[in-house]
Amino acid sequence: MAQAYMTETGNGGSGPERQGSRLRRLVDRWRGDRGIWRRGLVLAAVAVVVALVMLFHAQIPNTFGNLGSLTETFLPWLGLLVPLLLVLALVRRSATALIALLVPAVVWLNLFGGLLTDKAGTGGNLTVATHNVNAENADPSGTARDVAASGADVVALEELTTSAVPVYEKALAGTYPYHAVGGTVGLWSKYPLSDTEPVDIKLGWTRALRTTVTTPEGKVGVYVAHLPSVRVKADAGFTASQRDKSADALGEAIADEKLKRVVLLGDLNGTMNDRALRAVTSQMRSTQGAAGNGMGFSWPASFPMARIDQIMVKGVEPMSSWSLPETGSDHLPIAARVKL
């Protein structure tokens, strides 16, 4: 019995030993492989190119199909190439490719690593929300109730239709006694509104407005905007010229704002990385970037790939920023809490 026990113990201990032997054989195989540095040169070159695209995205020209703006819209997704190239480098047993992969990994973390952490704080005295409700929304009343349930003090809605406006007004009246609608955008507020006027973003019809919200902490200039849509076409690339002109006009209006505290709510059809929105982004802070958790993608609602809906502030401190649950729209609503 003693002998049997000792034999059984010896067999049981051979498992880790065999695994260690396999690992040693694998290391020895790589160490003895003279081609380990010569293989995978193409993979290494691809890794370096990916890193250069992320690092110098601002230098990619927009002269052909707005390629620069298209790249910047989906820039965070280039990080997915790193694990893909890692698998290929391991399959190829290429030390050169593995080392080269450190370059895009470090660049991506430098650009977007901060967005992966939760920067949300506590406090704040004004909650705002914005939602592109979708002109083809089959349940505008339900969408209104969902947004109101967020507890926001001020709510901006974009892509309103003439027939849907009365539905939203009725659904939101109990929570928001003050509201203003201009063209296809509107603002609902728990606090009084004044000096409401359309903002000319060079479209020929109203898709932006500006109003003063008088909160218990004082007046805030609030802008609601829905910039023109962009399209990706095989023959024309990233068509965004009208969006770009409207962004410049919106930036000029905000720069001329007399109040020191400003909040911009809306669907800008562009990300904070997109250089075409520089007239706006250069003078305002994204609440998601300053106090959000994660990338905060808002479109499309079924599988968010980009944050084209924005809450931006000037003279106001972002405390937290988040996405709200999906509604009947193709966009996710987003919200933020700020300190005045």
Side-chain angles (χ1 to χ4, degrees):
M1 292 293 292
Q3 181 64 37
Y5 176 81
M6 290 175 62
T7 302
E8 185 177 341
T9 303
N11 289 339
S14 64
E17 186 176 332
R18 285 198 299 269
Q19 292 175 3
S21 299
R22 289 196 198 100
L23 182 59
R24 282 195 296 272
R25 285 197 298 271
L26 180 61
V27 172
D28 291 340
R29 190 187 310 161
W30 278 58
R31 186 182 300 166
D33 187 351
R34 295 182 178 180
I36 197 171
W37 298 103
R38 294 193 297 269
R39 283 193 304 269
L41 295 180
V42 173
L43 291 176
V46 171
V48 172
V49 169
V50 171
L52 291 175
V53 169
M54 290 190 290
L55 193 60
F56 298 106
H57 61 86
Q59 276 66 53
I60 300 175
N62 261 342
T63 51
F64 177 74
N66 283 302
L67 184 60
S69 288
L70 177 60
T71 302
E72 289 165 339
T73 297
F74 299 102
L75 194 62
W77 292 94
L78 288 180
L80 291 180
L81 293 175
V82 174
L84 174 61
L85 292 173
L86 173 61
V87 172
L88 294 176
L90 291 173
V91 171
R92 289 284 291 150
R93 300 211 312 268
S94 169
T96 302
L98 288 174
I99 293 174
L101 272 175
L102 291 174
V103 182
V106 169
V107 172
W108 191 93
L109 287 173
N110 181 61
L111 290 174
F112 304 108
L115 294 176
L116 300 179
T117 60
D118 187 356
K119 300 177 290 298
T122 58
N125 43 31
L126 182 70
T127 301
V128 297
T130 182
H131 189 25
N132 179 325
V133 296
N134 188 0
E136 300 177 0
N137 193 323
D139 184 19
S141 181
T143 296
R145 289 193 299 269
D146 290 342
V147 175
S150 68
D153 302 306
V154 176
V155 172
L157 301 181
E158 304 86 48
E159 210 164 295
L160 298 172
T161 62
T162 303
S163 59
V165 167
V167 179
Y168 287 109
E169 289 175 333
K170 181 179 179 180
L172 296 171
T175 306
Y176 303 99
Y178 308 96
H179 82 281
V181 175
T184 60
V185 298
L187 189 77
W188 278 258
S189 174
K190 294 180 180 179
Y191 305 123
L193 305 179
S194 61
D195 302 324
T196 302
E197 58 184 2
V199 177
D200 182 11
I201 56 173
K202 311 303 180 185
L203 285 175
W205 69 95
T206 302
R207 281 178 50 147
L209 64 81
R210 181 261 177 222
T211 190
T212 298
V213 179
T214 303
T215 75
E217 285 74 30
K219 295 182 177 181
V220 183
V222 178
Y223 287 76
V224 183
H226 183 193
L227 298 188
S229 300
V230 296
R231 298 287 185 270
V232 180
K233 299 179 180 179
D235 58 341
F238 194 61
T239 57
S241 59
Q242 187 57 63
R243 189 277 313 266
D244 299 350
K245 293 177 183 176
S246 293
D248 291 341
L250 178 61
E252 291 177 11
I254 293 172
D256 292 337
E257 173 61 47
K258 293 179 174 57
L259 293 177
K260 293 183 178 180
R261 297 184 292 192
V262 184
V263 175
L264 169 62
L265 307 166
D267 174 5
L268 303 189
N269 272 306
T271 68
M272 292 295 294
N273 295 314
D274 192 337
R275 75 193 70 176
L277 301 185
R278 192 172 297 152
V280 177
T281 58
S282 63
Q283 57 180 319
M284 305 190 81
R285 298 175 67 193
S286 163
T287 59
Q288 184 67 26
N293 181 13
M295 297 290 184
F297 295 148
S298 63
W299 177 88
S302 57
F303 187 80
M305 297 183 65
R307 185 180 178 86
I308 62 175
D309 302 275
Q310 306 290 349
I311 298 176
M312 304 180 68
V313 297
K314 181 166 66 171
V316 173
E317 185 65 27
M319 304 306 294
S320 57
S321 186
W322 64 95
S323 298
L324 297 170
E326 187 175 356
T327 70
S329 172
D330 57 339
H331 291 242
L332 291 179
I334 59 174
R337 188 153 179 82
V338 300
K339 183 178 180 181
L340 302 179

